[in-house]
Amino acid sequence: MSPFFSARAAMLRGVALVIASSAVMAQGTESAASPPKLEEILVTGDPMQRSSLDTVGSVSIVSADTIEAMNVRDLYDLLLRSPNLNAAREDKFSVRGISNEGIGPGGTGRPTVSIFIDGARQPGRGVGNTWDVKQVEFYRGPQSTAFGPGSLAGAVVIQSESPSSEAYSGKLKVGAANYGGREAGVAVGGPIVGDLAFRYAAETNQTDGEVTNITLGDDKWQARKRYMQRFKLGWAGSDWYSFEFTLQDSKLREGNEYQSPDLARKGQASDDVDGFYDDNSTLAVLTQHVDINAALRLSLIVSGSNNDNIRKGDYDISAEDGGYFINSVEAENRAAELRLRYQGDTLKGVVGAYLAKDELQGNSASVDLPYELGAGIRARADADLVAEREADTQAIYAEADWDFAFDWTLTLGMRYEENDADSRSAFIVKGARPVDPITGTTLPGDLSPLLKPLLDSDAQAPSSDSVFLPKVALSYDLNDAVTAFVAASQGYRAGSVDFVSDGESPSYGPEYTNNYDLGVKWRGARWQAQLTVFRIDYRDMQIGVRVDAANFRTDNAGEAQSEGVELEFSGELGRGFSLFGGAGYVSTAFTEYEDDGVDFAGNRFPNAPLRNANIGLAWQQNGYFANINWAYAADSYTDRENTAGLKADSRRLLGARLGYRGERYGIELFGENLTDEFYITDRFNSPSLGIDALYVGDPREYGVRLSYQF
């Protein structure tokens, strides 16, 4: 049976499950004695500002309590524990099987998933710190209508704690763990004068890592240090005006995380180059609200974010002198968004205008890279691969909910967007030295005058496109606690250009998706759950292929599909116990894709596990607390060819916490990956570069944490 035939059967079962679940939930809640429901949660990232029950789509809302219960420090930890979300690395993850980087490397294209922190689009690695965060929202499926560029597969919204003028409050933490782990955090806020308030948060967590470089004698080869500072200022002293300003700075310092397949299980590396990865991210966002009357609110959101990162690494990740690289990227985003929101009795809606400017500058410098010139002539070359992009985006959008009949709501939305970009790609030979073909030693002399005319290129290419993205949904309230919905929407990612070394910059076009969701949500007195069945049809899918050290190629490859189901639930069991969890199933496949005579139809997307699940049990009584959580993900391919020997491993991660928290002080023991499972999260195999590397998940961690709050 074909993978997609099986997937469609699974979807049909999922549809039946949605319908059956709706009936069961409705009967259960109608027969109950109408106890008070759980407090409703506002979906803060949604321009419509709907409640979680009224949101038409699959949105996971992770509260501060859940973040604490699962001992989550950053976005990566959460991605490992959410249905149909998967993280290969901290900056490489997938939503419903679609990677945030797209399929394969290449070009200067935008991501498919955007991260927003307090309303600002924030690129970079290590930015998703969860210290002093109110809630995290995962939007599955295309969010191009609401969130704009870079949201074809979904969006992540991180909402930190807001300033309060009511009273001063704060919290502190310090902790220590194995492998030299240490952490410290502070958060404090309160009134400044009148209704003007502030909140300041800072956190660091560090580890020496478990990997030793046996060539350089470095037992802190994968040491990792994170730093975050956030300052917020807020004022809500008027009946008609309020504002909130956020300034955040994040830093990440770590060693090289990719390892040789021969040494990874031993916790060793043999690189002869002292590699590192540094990432610096800053953001500033000012959100202002004007309440025109009880039904109309005008909002202006102005934001700016910057990210610069640099990575140095050994090409052959061995003790041999195979050359090294230095990759650097600088990205900048400036955006302004004006919204007018209306809240009536039967009609609710929002209209908005969006302007943004993105700038990207990337450079990949190869040093002492072995190069075959042909006819037995070899050289060691130094070269720079340069990519630059300046992109302007302008858009208008609208969305409305109309309660047109008793318990029925029709949602209509649209976004018209224009993207204009100027891109530059260049390959520049900086130097080349001949190599003795017998001894392999580098000889004096410079071959670059011979190579530069053959390889040097510097080309610029404009690109532009426009798109109209519709959205339609229908929801039905079976009762006050259960809502069923069906939704259809379109996703979009702009085109761009490729890196080449032949004097040209071939462009590739936009990619599009048609998306369908069918789901049911239930929010009762002690329990809540949501179940969604989905299907995504791709056309003109952008697939990147690395040709050699100097060339990427991106194809608009035809058609592909992703379909599946996801379930989430949480609730109280009584006697201080609570349960939360979820499960996801996603089947992906290229349906029409050929390249160089190879037919990839039927192959799965890279980094797209077929199944994942998580469950957690928590207990709290008289200040004492304990919880245990477990997360599972199936194995997955890491390349378009679906090479069996280049799979990422399945994983089963067990974590736990045990402690006491009084009115002021607290102490706890915690552990992650308690079974010390070794698992590969990603592979990087490039015959053209001579690289075969893998990425490994974190080992067992255990430690103690002290806390204080007021």
Side-chain angles (χ1 to χ4, degrees):
M1 182 178 292
S2 71
F4 256 68
F5 195 74
S6 300
R8 289 191 178 95
M11 282 199 69
L12 289 174
R13 291 194 295 269
V15 171
L17 184 57
V18 168
I19 297 172
S21 299
S22 300
V24 171
M25 290 175 180
Q27 291 173 1
T29 53
E30 287 171 355
S31 62
S34 299
K37 292 192 299 179
L38 291 170
E39 181 182 354
E40 192 56 86
I41 300 174
L42 186 68
V43 184
T44 60
D46 183 359
M48 289 282 289
Q49 296 286 285
R50 299 180 178 96
S51 70
S52 58
L53 189 62
D54 294 332
T55 301
V56 284
S58 180
V59 182
S60 292
I61 302 175
V62 186
S63 67
D65 290 341
T66 303
I67 289 172
E68 183 179 46
M70 293 193 295
N71 192 37
V72 168
R73 296 193 185 100
D74 52 43
L75 181 60
Y76 176 76
D77 288 342
L78 274 177
L79 290 166
L80 296 176
R81 296 167 172 83
S82 301
N84 282 341
L85 301 174
N86 179 65
R89 306 195 297 272
E90 189 169 346
D91 55 352
K92 183 179 180 181
F93 56 92
S94 62
V95 179
R96 289 180 169 176
I98 302 172
S99 170
N100 67 312
E101 297 180 346
I103 306 299
T108 55
R110 291 190 171 108
T112 66
V113 183
S114 289
I115 299 173
F116 295 85
I117 301 176
D118 290 336
R121 188 186 304 271
Q122 178 65 79
R125 186 173 186 175
V127 298
N129 188 296
T130 55
W131 172 247
D132 204 40
V133 161
K134 182 178 180 180
Q135 67 185 38
V136 179
E137 301 165 8
F138 292 109
Y139 294 76
R140 300 182 185 87
Q143 306 299 322
S144 302
T145 304
F147 293 103
S151 304
L152 174 140
V156 180
V157 173
I158 299 174
Q159 185 65 46
S160 65
E161 291 287 354
S162 295
S164 173
S165 60
E166 294 182 1
Y168 290 99
S169 63
K171 56 184 179 180
L172 302 168
K173 70 168 183 176
V174 292
N178 59 327
Y179 295 118
R182 58 269 189 203
E183 64 179 59
V186 59
V188 62
I192 299 175
V193 58
D195 292 302
L196 182 66
F198 81 99
R199 189 159 186 93
Y200 172 77
E203 199 257 4
T204 180
N205 60 77
Q206 306 177 19
T207 177
D208 293 338
E210 78 283 9
V211 177
T212 297
N213 186 309
I214 57 177
T215 301
L216 301 178
D218 185 356
D219 62 356
K220 299 180 181 179
W221 180 244
Q222 287 192 350
R224 184 171 59 236
K225 299 178 181 179
R226 305 175 191 271
Y227 307 91
M228 185 279 295
Q229 291 191 89
R230 183 190 305 118
F231 176 76
K232 303 186 74 169
L233 197 64
W235 186 76
S238 168
D239 292 336
W240 64 274
Y241 176 78
S242 62
F243 80 84
E244 186 170 288
F245 172 74
T246 302
L247 182 66
Q248 178 173 304
D249 178 75
S250 303
K251 299 183 187 301
L252 173 65
R253 305 287 183 264
E254 66 179 346
N256 272 332
E257 59 183 348
Y258 55 89
Q259 298 174 247
S260 163
D262 298 332
L263 298 175
R265 285 188 176 274
K266 302 176 183 178
Q268 296 177 344
S270 60
D271 306 37
D272 67 324
V273 175
D274 191 7
F276 62 86
Y277 180 84
D278 290 352
D279 188 289
N280 303 284
S281 300
T282 59
L283 71 84
V285 55
L286 175 63
T287 302
Q288 302 176 79
H289 301 296
V290 175
D291 292 321
I292 301 171
N293 55 41
L296 283 172
R297 164 173 277 197
L298 185 66
S299 300
L300 176 63
I301 305 168
V302 181
S303 64
S305 61
N306 296 275
N307 171 260
D308 62 86
N309 62 74
I310 183 169
R311 179 193 294 275
K312 180 181 179 182
D314 183 6
Y315 261 123
D316 58 11
I317 55 173
S318 75
E320 302 297 323
D321 184 9
Y324 65 94
F325 63 86
I326 301 176
N327 295 341
S328 62
V329 177
E330 295 182 15
E332 182 178 298
N333 174 269
R334 301 287 181 268
E337 186 171 352
L338 184 66
R339 297 175 183 168
L340 180 64
R341 182 162 59 95
Y342 173 75
Q343 296 280 339
D345 292 333
T346 60
L347 181 66
K348 303 176 180 64
V350 62
V351 295
Y354 175 84
L355 294 173
K357 186 177 185 66
D358 290 282
E359 296 183 9
L360 175 121
Q361 294 182 337
N363 185 84
S364 179
S366 298
V367 181
D368 282 340
L369 180 65
Y371 204 91
E372 297 288 343
L373 303 179
I377 301 175
R378 298 165 56 199
R380 284 189 174 271
D382 302 339
D384 285 354
L385 181 62
V386 179
E388 297 178 355
R389 183 190 70 219
E390 290 188 7
D392 294 292
T393 301
Q394 49 192 358
I396 56 173
Y397 64 88
E399 189 165 334
D401 290 341
W402 176 34
D403 300 332
F404 66 93
F406 184 71
D407 292 332
W408 288 92
T409 300
L410 176 67
T411 298
L412 296 174
M414 58 75 62
R415 186 183 186 96
Y416 175 76
E417 183 173 293
E418 295 180 349
N419 286 277
D420 298 287
D422 288 306
S423 301
R424 173 185 176 233
S425 62
F427 186 80
I428 304 169
V429 176
K430 307 295 287 290
R433 295 159 298 284
V435 173
D436 188 313
I438 299 176
T439 64
T441 58
T442 303
L443 303 175
D446 186 7
L447 299 179
S448 60
L450 299 176
L451 292 179
K452 290 180 72 67
L454 298 174
L455 297 179
D456 274 15
S457 67
D458 194 335
Q460 292 184 323
S463 61
S464 63
D465 48 64
S466 60
V467 65
F468 177 82
L469 301 169
K471 175 182 179 180
V472 61
L474 185 66
S475 59
Y476 175 65
D477 296 333
L478 283 78
N479 55 39
D480 289 341
V482 182
T483 297
F485 68 88
V486 60
S489 60
Q490 287 190 338
Y492 154 84
R493 183 164 67 144
S496 188
V497 299
D498 280 329
F499 301 147
V500 296
S501 62
D502 60 3
E504 298 180 359
S505 291
S507 62
Y508 53 91
E511 62 179 356
Y512 304 90
T513 59
N514 292 323
N515 309 267
Y516 312 95
D517 282 50
L518 174 66
V520 59
K521 298 185 178 185
W522 168 54
R523 192 170 184 84
R526 290 189 169 190
W527 286 84
Q528 59 184 346
Q530 65 175 0
L531 177 69
T532 307
V533 178
F534 66 89
R535 178 182 172 118
I536 302 172
D537 292 325
Y538 254 106
R539 63 184 175 91
D540 298 329
M541 189 179 202
Q542 297 171 6
I543 300 180
V545 180
R546 184 160 196 156
V547 180
D548 53 39
N551 292 287
F552 291 99
R553 187 188 79 244
T554 302
D555 302 323
N556 288 108
E559 299 180 357
Q561 291 178 331
S562 170
E563 53 191 11
V565 60
E566 53 227 3
L567 167 70
E568 289 184 283
F569 61 88
S570 63
E572 300 175 11
L573 299 171
R575 297 183 180 273
F577 286 94
S578 59
L579 187 71
F580 58 89
Y585 171 88
V586 57
S587 178
T588 62
F590 302 112
T591 55
E592 184 181 314
Y593 175 33
E594 289 190 18
D595 183 36
D596 291 336
V598 179
D599 187 358
F600 294 96
N603 285 10
R604 296 181 188 172
F605 298 174
N607 304 113
L610 192 64
R611 297 173 299 276
N612 73 339
N614 68 287
I615 191 167
L617 177 66
W619 172 81
Q620 185 171 355
Q621 194 119 13
N622 299 324
Y624 295 95
F625 64 88
N627 60 67
I628 186 169
N629 59 83
W630 179 81
Y632 162 79
D635 59 8
S636 60
Y637 296 105
T638 62
D639 61 356
R640 62 176 182 159
E641 291 81 7
N642 286 188
T643 306
L646 296 178
K647 274 189 172 185
D649 292 335
S650 64
R651 61 176 181 267
R652 296 165 180 81
L653 303 180
L654 181 66
R657 293 171 66 232
L658 175 66
Y660 173 81
R661 176 172 297 155
E663 185 176 347
R664 295 282 189 233
Y665 298 94
I667 183 172
E668 66 179 85
L669 303 174
F670 63 87
E672 299 295 336
N673 191 8
L674 290 174
T675 60
D676 202 21
E677 180 170 340
F678 176 90
Y679 60 101
I680 297 168
T681 65
D682 200 8
R683 299 291 297 258
F684 179 42
N685 182 270
S686 174
S688 65
L689 295 175
I691 297 177
D692 183 18
L694 52 81
Y695 297 77
V696 177
D698 292 334
R700 176 166 50 213
E701 179 191 15
Y702 51 87
V704 60
R705 183 180 295 125
L706 305 175
S707 61
Y708 172 77
Q709 60 185 9
F710 64 92

